[in-house]
């Protein structure tokens, strides 16, 4: 869905209030009820960032982090062509490590996620919960039905401009540069969003975050990052994608389920082994991804991989075509967003091979 410049921010916000109230009064026991109640709690916790920074009684470390974040926020609108509103000019302390927990699920012998469809956002490969316990309880119920599940904490989410999204205490777990990139990423979702096309949306936002962070570093006189870090991240993602494709081929075979299950387990053992070989070999002991491998591995943990960077190179090619002009770039992206899905994908493929 292209940007919604035809409606003011206030109109967009108040159109959602009756829906949220209706969902809340339906009871927090419902899935939509817990979403509405959780989001309303978040909205009521917001404080203006500028007021916190100006208050000497507040934690000086918090004030310093928020000052840097506000600098990145101003840069996003002034230099990157991203929306100029009150999103990320407010702050909310969550008193917990994540704002929501996403639940991913797949059949036991499929790498395709079970999708869920929502108003505005369209169909996505997860369900979000404001309470970790609710997410894990639902995961347990799905596991009893034979599904693979994964519950993953999320530091931030976007309401696509319907509300003024705040900076969250969970976002401050990142360092300054990663926080700036996250702000750019989330604001990009407000600029252009296609209902139901997760790969397009996340790849576009990821490119904006990557390129925007590079420009923000230059503007602040910060050194370029170690290229080895990005190389290792790409190699890690490549391991996941290769494993997923081998599993996809396995599940398509006409063989007994018991054989599939044994070979599935072997594939995840291979993934662990391949990672250890990279870590202890070319990566020279870099253990940054060890924590991810501490969890049980199944189809569901592989779902997010590839979605965030599938079309990043295509968007980079598009950015080069407009000579790095952010406003022209966003307009071209909005044009792509307006195309039918098949045509949009074909255009992205054509850009990706340039």
């Amino acid at each position: 869905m292209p940007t919604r410049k035809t409606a003011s921010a206030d109109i967009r916000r108040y159109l959602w209030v009756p829906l949220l109230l209706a969902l809340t009064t339906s009871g927090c026991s419902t899935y939509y009820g817990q979403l509405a109640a959780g989001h309303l709690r978040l909205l009521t916790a917001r404080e203006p960032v500028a007021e916190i920074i100006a208050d000497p009684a507040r934690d000086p470390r918090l004030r310093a982090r928020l000052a840097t974040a506000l600098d990145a926020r101003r840069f996003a609108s002034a230099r990157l062509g991203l929306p100029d509103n009150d999103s990320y000019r407010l702050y909310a302390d969550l008193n917990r490590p994540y704002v929501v927990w996403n639940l991913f699920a797949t059949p036991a012998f499929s790498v395709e996620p079970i999708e869920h469809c929502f108003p505005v956002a369209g169909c996505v490969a997860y369900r979000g919960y404001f309470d970790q316990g609710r997410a894990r309880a639902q995961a347990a119920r799905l596991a009893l039905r034979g599904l693979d599940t994964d519950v993953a904490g999320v530091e931030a989410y976007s309401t696509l401009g319907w509300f003024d999204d705040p900076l969250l205490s969970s976002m401050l777990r990142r360092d300054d540069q990663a926080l700036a990139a996250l702000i750019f990423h989330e604001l990009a979702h407000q600029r252009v969003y296609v209902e139901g096309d997760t790969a397009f949306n996340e790849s576009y936002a990821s490119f904006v975050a990557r390129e925007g962070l590079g420009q923000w570093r230059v503007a602040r006189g910060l050194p370029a990052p170690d290229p080895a870090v990005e190389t290792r991240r790409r190699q890690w993602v490549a391991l996941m994608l290769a494993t997923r494709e081998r599993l996809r081929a396995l599940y398509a075979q006409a063989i007994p389920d018991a054989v599939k299950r044994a070979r599935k387990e072997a594939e995840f053992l291979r993934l662990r082994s391949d990672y250890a070989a990279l870590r202890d070999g070319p990566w020279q002991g870099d253990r940054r991804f060890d924590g991810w491998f501490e969890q049980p591995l199944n189809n569901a943990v592989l779902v997010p991989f590839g979605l965030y960077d599938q079309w990043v190179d295509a968007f980079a090619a598009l950015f080069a075509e407009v000579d790095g002009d952010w406003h022209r770039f966003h307009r071209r992206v909005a044009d792509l967003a307006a195309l039918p899905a098949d045509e949009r994908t074909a255009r992205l493929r054509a850009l990706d091979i340039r």
Side-chain angles (χ1 to χ4, degrees):
M1 177 170 64
T3 54
R4 296 180 302 279
K5 295 183 179 179
T6 54
S8 72
D10 284 344
I11 292 173
R12 292 198 303 269
R13 183 180 305 118
Y14 294 127
L15 282 173
W16 275 73
V17 170
L19 173 61
L20 286 176
L21 290 176
L23 291 173
T24 304
T25 56
S26 71
C28 294
S29 60
T30 68
Y31 175 72
Y32 283 105
Q34 65 89 24
L35 284 182
H39 188 67
L40 286 173
R41 285 195 299 270
L42 187 152
L43 294 180
T44 59
R46 296 178 303 177
E47 302 176 77
V49 168
E51 291 184 9
I52 298 174
I53 294 171
D55 184 354
R58 302 297 288 264
D59 182 346
R61 292 171 297 180
L62 174 63
R63 293 166 64 202
R65 295 299 314 280
L66 292 181
T68 302
L70 191 57
D71 177 70
R73 177 64 187 85
R74 295 189 189 104
F75 186 88
S77 295
R79 299 285 293 278
L80 307 182
L82 295 173
D84 191 2
N85 53 34
D86 283 338
S87 289
Y88 311 110
R89 291 187 167 102
L90 303 164
Y91 174 72
D93 190 344
L94 300 174
N95 295 309
R96 60 180 189 267
Y98 299 107
V99 60
V100 294
W101 285 262
N102 284 344
L103 168 58
F104 299 90
T106 72
F109 299 126
S110 174
V111 293
E112 299 303 324
I114 295 173
E115 292 195 328
H116 307 274
C117 299
F118 304 96
V120 180
C123 296
V124 294
Y126 57 85
R127 295 185 81 177
Y129 293 82
F130 276 90
D131 180 83
Q132 184 183 23
R134 285 177 181 263
R136 294 202 175 280
Q138 180 61 15
R141 285 190 284 270
L142 294 178
L144 288 175
R145 290 165 45 190
L147 301 180
D148 282 9
T149 65
D150 178 48
V151 174
V154 178
E155 297 167 343
Y157 69 91
S158 174
T159 61
L160 309 180
W162 293 99
F163 296 90
D164 294 326
D165 296 321
L167 284 164
L168 303 171
S169 52
S170 53
M171 297 167 67
L172 299 187
R173 299 172 68 198
R174 300 187 172 209
D175 64 30
D176 287 344
Q177 294 193 38
L179 177 58
L182 182 57
I183 291 170
F184 303 155
H185 183 108
E186 298 300 335
L187 285 171
H189 285 316
Q190 295 188 17
R191 180 71 196 247
V192 181
Y193 185 87
V194 180
E195 183 177 332
D197 194 337
T198 302
F200 178 92
N201 297 326
E202 297 300 346
S203 296
Y204 161 64
S206 293
F207 171 76
V208 171
R210 186 186 75 181
E211 182 66 26
L213 180 60
Q215 295 186 16
W216 189 68
R217 283 195 191 101
V218 172
R220 290 175 62 88
L222 299 173
D226 182 354
V229 173
E230 176 60 17
T231 297
R232 291 169 186 174
R233 187 197 69 82
R234 286 177 175 264
Q235 291 173 333
W236 178 59
V237 171
L239 280 182
M240 307 303 159
L241 297 180
T243 300
R244 190 163 67 196
E245 290 311 304
R246 290 196 301 271
L247 287 169
R248 191 192 308 277
L250 167 64
Y251 299 148
Q253 295 179 35
I255 55 178
D257 285 355
V259 177
K260 286 184 181 179
R261 187 169 289 108
R263 293 182 182 177
K264 172 184 177 180
E265 293 177 4
E267 284 295 347
F268 284 113
L269 287 174
R270 175 179 173 178
L271 173 59
R272 291 183 185 276
S273 176
D274 289 349
Y275 167 69
L278 268 179
R279 180 196 63 199
D280 300 334
W283 292 5
Q284 299 178 323
D286 186 337
R287 296 180 173 271
R288 71 181 66 241
F289 300 115
D290 277 11
W292 189 89
F293 282 92
E294 291 174 358
Q295 66 182 323
L297 301 185
N298 59 33
N299 299 328
V301 303
L302 300 176
V303 169
F305 290 94
L307 292 177
Y308 282 72
D309 49 16
Q310 180 176 343
W311 300 117
V312 167
D313 290 343
F315 286 113
L318 184 62
F319 191 69
E321 281 188 2
V322 298
D323 300 320
D325 184 312
W326 280 105
H327 293 284
R328 289 172 60 199
F329 171 72
H330 294 306
R331 286 195 296 270
R332 291 281 298 277
V333 173
D335 290 342
L336 284 173
L339 295 174
D342 290 348
E343 188 175 348
R344 181 169 58 249
T345 299
R347 295 280 186 92
L348 289 168
R349 285 200 181 104
L351 285 165
D352 202 23
I353 62 176
R354 294 185 185 180

